[in-house]
Short mmCIF file of all heavy atoms in Angstrom, two decimals:
data_model
loop_
_atom_site.label_atom_id
_atom_site.label_comp_id
_atom_site.label_asym_id
_atom_site.label_seq_id
_atom_site.Cartn_x
_atom_site.Cartn_y
_atom_site.Cartn_z
N ILE M 3 9.33 11.86 8.08
CA ILE M 3 8.21 11.03 7.73
C ILE M 3 8.74 9.81 6.95
O ILE M 3 9.48 9.98 5.97
CB ILE M 3 7.13 11.73 6.91
CG1 ILE M 3 6.53 12.90 7.72
CG2 ILE M 3 6.03 10.76 6.51
CD1 ILE M 3 5.46 13.66 6.99
N ARG M 18 -3.12 -12.35 -14.78
CA ARG M 18 -3.21 -13.68 -15.41
C ARG M 18 -2.63 -14.68 -14.46
O ARG M 18 -1.53 -14.49 -13.94
CB ARG M 18 -2.49 -13.73 -16.74
CG ARG M 18 -2.94 -12.77 -17.79
CD ARG M 18 -2.32 -13.14 -19.14
NE ARG M 18 -0.88 -13.26 -19.04
CZ ARG M 18 -0.02 -12.23 -19.23
NH1 ARG M 18 -0.48 -11.04 -19.51
NH2 ARG M 18 1.26 -12.47 -19.18
N VAL M 19 -3.34 -15.77 -14.22
CA VAL M 19 -2.87 -16.83 -13.34
C VAL M 19 -1.95 -17.74 -14.12
O VAL M 19 -2.22 -18.09 -15.29
CB VAL M 19 -4.05 -17.61 -12.76
CG1 VAL M 19 -3.57 -18.77 -11.89
CG2 VAL M 19 -4.97 -16.71 -11.92
N LEU M 49 2.50 17.56 3.76
CA LEU M 49 2.84 17.91 5.13
C LEU M 49 4.16 18.68 5.18
O LEU M 49 4.33 19.60 5.98
CB LEU M 49 2.92 16.66 6.00
CG LEU M 49 1.58 15.99 6.33
CD1 LEU M 49 1.79 14.68 7.07
CD2 LEU M 49 0.70 16.91 7.17
N LEU M 85 16.03 0.68 0.05
CA LEU M 85 15.52 -0.56 -0.55
C LEU M 85 16.09 -1.74 0.22
O LEU M 85 17.29 -1.93 0.32
CB LEU M 85 15.91 -0.66 -2.02
CG LEU M 85 15.57 -1.99 -2.71
CD1 LEU M 85 14.09 -2.27 -2.68
CD2 LEU M 85 16.15 -2.01 -4.16
N ASP M 90 12.50 -13.20 -2.46
CA ASP M 90 11.37 -14.00 -1.95
C ASP M 90 10.19 -13.07 -1.63
O ASP M 90 10.35 -11.89 -1.33
CB ASP M 90 11.75 -14.76 -0.66
CG ASP M 90 12.90 -15.72 -0.94
OD1 ASP M 90 12.92 -16.33 -2.03
OD2 ASP M 90 13.77 -15.86 -0.06
N SER M 144 -8.91 9.68 5.65
CA SER M 144 -9.42 10.56 4.55
C SER M 144 -9.01 11.99 4.81
O SER M 144 -9.25 12.85 3.96
CB SER M 144 -10.92 10.44 4.45
OG SER M 144 -11.57 10.81 5.66
N ALA M 145 -8.45 12.27 5.98
CA ALA M 145 -7.89 13.61 6.29
C ALA M 145 -6.88 13.46 7.41
O ALA M 145 -7.07 12.71 8.33
CB ALA M 145 -9.02 14.56 6.72
N ARG M 157 -11.08 9.04 9.85
CA ARG M 157 -11.06 7.69 9.35
C ARG M 157 -12.36 7.35 8.63
O ARG M 157 -13.44 7.70 9.04
CB ARG M 157 -10.90 6.66 10.47
CG ARG M 157 -9.65 6.86 11.32
CD ARG M 157 -9.57 5.77 12.42
NE ARG M 157 -9.59 4.47 11.84
CZ ARG M 157 -10.51 3.52 12.10
NH1 ARG M 157 -11.52 3.80 12.88
NH2 ARG M 157 -10.43 2.34 11.57
N GLU M 158 -12.23 6.63 7.48
CA GLU M 158 -13.39 6.10 6.78
C GLU M 158 -13.86 4.84 7.52
O GLU M 158 -13.11 3.91 7.70
CB GLU M 158 -13.01 5.76 5.33
CG GLU M 158 -12.55 6.89 4.49
CD GLU M 158 -13.70 7.70 3.95
OE1 GLU M 158 -14.83 7.18 3.93
OE2 GLU M 158 -13.48 8.84 3.51
N GLU M 164 -14.91 8.71 11.36
CA GLU M 164 -14.51 8.80 12.77
C GLU M 164 -13.24 9.62 12.86
O GLU M 164 -12.34 9.43 12.05
CB GLU M 164 -14.28 7.38 13.34
CG GLU M 164 -13.80 7.36 14.77
CD GLU M 164 -13.43 5.97 15.23
OE1 GLU M 164 -12.58 5.33 14.58
OE2 GLU M 164 -14.01 5.51 16.23
N TYR M 185 1.59 14.29 -10.46
CA TYR M 185 2.46 13.66 -11.46
C TYR M 185 3.86 14.25 -11.27
O TYR M 185 4.03 15.46 -11.03
CB TYR M 185 1.93 13.94 -12.87
CG TYR M 185 0.69 13.17 -13.23
CD1 TYR M 185 -0.54 13.80 -13.24
CD2 TYR M 185 0.74 11.84 -13.56
CE1 TYR M 185 -1.69 13.12 -13.54
CE2 TYR M 185 -0.42 11.13 -13.88
CZ TYR M 185 -1.63 11.81 -13.88
OH TYR M 185 -2.76 11.10 -14.21
N LYS M 195 17.24 10.85 -10.02
CA LYS M 195 18.33 9.89 -10.35
C LYS M 195 19.55 10.13 -9.49
O LYS M 195 20.35 9.20 -9.27
CB LYS M 195 18.69 10.03 -11.83
CG LYS M 195 17.59 9.60 -12.78
CD LYS M 195 18.02 9.74 -14.23
CE LYS M 195 16.90 9.29 -15.18
NZ LYS M 195 17.26 9.43 -16.59
N LYS M 202 19.80 -2.31 1.27
CA LYS M 202 20.06 -3.12 2.47
C LYS M 202 19.48 -4.52 2.23
O LYS M 202 18.83 -4.80 1.24
CB LYS M 202 19.38 -2.49 3.69
CG LYS M 202 19.79 -1.04 3.97
CD LYS M 202 20.99 -0.97 4.87
CE LYS M 202 21.24 0.42 5.36
NZ LYS M 202 22.34 0.50 6.34
N THR M 217 1.13 -21.07 -0.03
CA THR M 217 0.09 -20.94 -1.03
C THR M 217 -0.13 -22.31 -1.69
O THR M 217 0.77 -22.84 -2.34
CB THR M 217 0.44 -19.90 -2.10
OG1 THR M 217 0.67 -18.64 -1.46
CG2 THR M 217 -0.67 -19.78 -3.14
N GLU M 222 -8.42 -18.39 -11.00
CA GLU M 222 -9.28 -17.25 -11.30
C GLU M 222 -10.71 -17.55 -10.75
O GLU M 222 -11.13 -18.69 -10.60
CB GLU M 222 -9.41 -17.08 -12.83
CG GLU M 222 -8.09 -16.58 -13.46
CD GLU M 222 -8.25 -16.29 -14.94
OE1 GLU M 222 -9.40 -16.34 -15.39
OE2 GLU M 222 -7.24 -16.01 -15.57
N ARG M 226 -19.15 -15.59 -14.23
CA ARG M 226 -20.53 -15.38 -13.88
C ARG M 226 -21.47 -15.96 -14.93
O ARG M 226 -21.28 -15.78 -16.13
CB ARG M 226 -20.78 -13.85 -13.74
CG ARG M 226 -22.17 -13.52 -13.22
CD ARG M 226 -22.29 -12.02 -13.00
NE ARG M 226 -23.59 -11.65 -12.50
CZ ARG M 226 -23.93 -10.39 -12.14
NH1 ARG M 226 -23.03 -9.42 -12.30
NH2 ARG M 226 -25.12 -10.12 -11.72
#
Side-chain angles (χ1 to χ4, degrees):
I3 299 180
R18 300 191 309 268
V19 176
L49 289 173
L85 172 61
D90 299 324
S144 60
R157 303 180 58 240
E158 298 278 342
E164 177 187 56
Y185 288 102
K195 295 180 179 180
K202 304 271 191 175
T217 300
E222 293 185 7
R226 186 173 180 178

